[in-house]
Amino acid sequence: MRKAKRVFIALLLGIVMLFGVAGCNDGTQNELQGEIDGEQSQIEEMNYSVVYEDVSYVWSADRKNFIGICNSNDELIELCTKNNCGFYDNENPDYESALGNKVREYTEEFFKSKSIVVCSFIKSSYSGPLKVSSLEVVENTLTLKIKRPNSDIADSVVVCWGFIIEVDKSIVSVVTDSTYLVI
C-alpha cells in the first residue's frame, strides 16, 4: 500500500511539473505573439504597405546585405548598384529574379508622393517564410523587424530574402539611418 502511494505521488508530481513547464512555454509564446500582434496594428497606423516579401535562390556572388530608403528612381538604382544587386544589369542573375522585376516597376511618378524601403539579405535559413512584423521610426532611425517562424526544421538552405515596403514620404522624412532585425 505504501509503495503504491509513493508511485501515485511521484506520478502526480510528474504530471504537475509537465503542465507547469508546458504552461511556461505557452505563456512565453503568447507574450511574444501579443508583442507581434501589437506591432502589426502599428503597421496600419503608420500607413505603409508590404508589397514584396519573398525568397530567391538566385543571386550574384558579390551581393551585399542591405536596407535602404529610396525617394526617387535614381536613389533606387544607386542603392541596388552600390550593394552589387544586378536588378538593372540584364547580364546578372539578379535581373530576372522576382525582386529584380518588382524593383524595376517603380517610376518617378510613384516617387512623387511615396518612398520605398528596400531590404535584402542572404541568410542560412528556410524554416518557413519570413514576414515583416513592424516598421518603426525612433528618433532618426528606421528599424524594420522581420519575424522568423518558430520551427524545428534545421536551417540548412542559403537563400536570399527580399522585402519592399511602400511608405508615405512623411514617415521617412526625418530618417538618417536604417537597420533591420530578424527576430
Side-chain angles (χ1 to χ4, degrees):
M1 178 82 138
R2 214 175 213 181
K3 186 175 183 180
K5 190 174 181 179
R6 284 187 202 162
V7 170
F8 176 75
I9 291 173
L11 284 172
L12 187 59
L13 284 173
I15 290 170
V16 168
M17 288 176 58
L18 179 65
F19 282 112
V21 169
C24 285
N25 287 341
D26 287 345
T28 303
Q29 283 184 331
N30 290 340
E31 188 176 287
L32 177 61
Q33 188 60 44
E35 197 174 298
I36 297 299
D37 290 345
E39 291 172 350
Q40 191 69 25
S41 67
Q42 186 177 6
I43 287 174
E44 295 163 5
E45 291 171 17
M46 288 185 67
N47 193 21
Y48 70 84
S49 174
V50 178
V51 295
Y52 183 91
E53 55 185 3
D54 205 358
V55 64
S56 174
Y57 296 95
V58 178
W59 62 87
S60 57
D62 56 349
R63 182 169 220 197
K64 297 176 184 172
N65 296 340
F66 70 93
I67 183 170
I69 300 167
C70 302
N71 295 303
S72 70
N73 205 39
D74 287 341
E75 287 181 15
L76 178 57
I77 293 169
E78 181 184 333
L79 176 71
C80 294
T81 303
K82 178 176 80 173
N83 290 290
N84 299 323
C85 295
F87 301 145
Y88 294 94
D89 175 6
N90 63 5
E91 302 280 323
N92 192 297
D94 286 333
Y95 185 81
E96 287 299 324
S97 69
L99 182 56
N101 289 328
K102 182 65 181 169
V103 162
R104 288 191 308 279
E105 289 178 9
Y106 289 96
T107 64
E108 284 305 322
E109 187 65 29
F110 170 85
F111 288 110
K112 286 182 179 177
S113 61
K114 295 194 173 206
S115 298
I116 61 172
V117 177
V118 181
C119 180
S120 181
F121 54 87
I122 297 167
K123 182 160 180 50
S124 173
S125 120
Y126 199 80
S127 53
L130 302 181
K131 297 288 183 187
V132 171
S133 67
S134 72
L135 181 69
E136 307 172 340
V137 176
V138 177
E139 295 180 11
N140 296 339
T141 301
L142 178 136
T143 302
L144 174 63
K145 291 184 182 174
I146 301 165
K147 171 107 173 71
R148 180 180 175 177
N150 294 334
S151 176
D152 294 334
I153 298 172
D155 292 341
S156 60
V157 179
V158 176
V159 294
C160 183
W161 290 96
F163 301 88
I164 299 176
I165 299 102
E166 295 177 354
V167 298
D168 290 334
K169 285 193 180 284
S170 62
I171 291 175
V172 295
S173 63
V174 298
V175 173
T176 58
D177 192 23
S178 56
T179 187
Y180 67 92
L181 301 170
V182 178
I183 54 174

